[in-house]
Amino acid sequence: MKYNVTEVEFDFDDWYQRNWDNRLTFDEEIEVRDLALGVWEADDEDDLIEEVTAASGWCIKSIDYDIQLKGDF
């Protein structure tokens, strides 16, 4: 199934608490988010979350998506 990720929020807070000296800039956070937006192929919502987490390297706080139906490209 194809999912169009329209918004995603990553959990940068936990990283910052453990790595205060290695904070991402705002632009870097936006870049991580932007790379996660778009169409992903996954078996279900849990698989989608795993795919985006694995690709980005960050845990997801929240995610919004639309299911892409055939011909809905």
Side-chain angles (χ1 to χ4, degrees):
M1 192 174 326
K2 293 187 187 272
Y3 296 86
N4 183 29
V5 175
T6 57
E7 188 61 46
V8 63
E9 181 182 359
F10 291 101
D11 187 3
F12 297 116
D13 296 335
D14 182 52
W15 168 260
Y16 292 152
Q17 290 172 359
R18 292 180 284 129
N19 299 284
W20 187 253
D21 294 334
N22 295 324
R23 293 183 64 90
L24 294 177
T25 66
F26 178 75
D27 288 340
E28 290 170 329
E29 287 184 11
I30 296 300
E31 184 178 349
V32 170
R33 189 218 47 201
D34 287 352
L35 290 173
L37 300 179
V39 178
W40 292 79
E41 190 162 335
D43 296 330
D44 54 32
E45 181 181 18
D46 290 336
D47 188 40
L48 173 65
I49 291 169
E50 287 180 27
E51 292 286 333
V52 174
T53 298
S56 68
W58 295 95
C59 291
I60 296 172
K61 280 179 142 176
S62 67
I63 189 167
D64 292 327
Y65 60 85
D66 299 316
I67 296 173
Q68 298 293 290
L69 303 174
K70 290 184 179 186
D72 189 18
F73 298 87

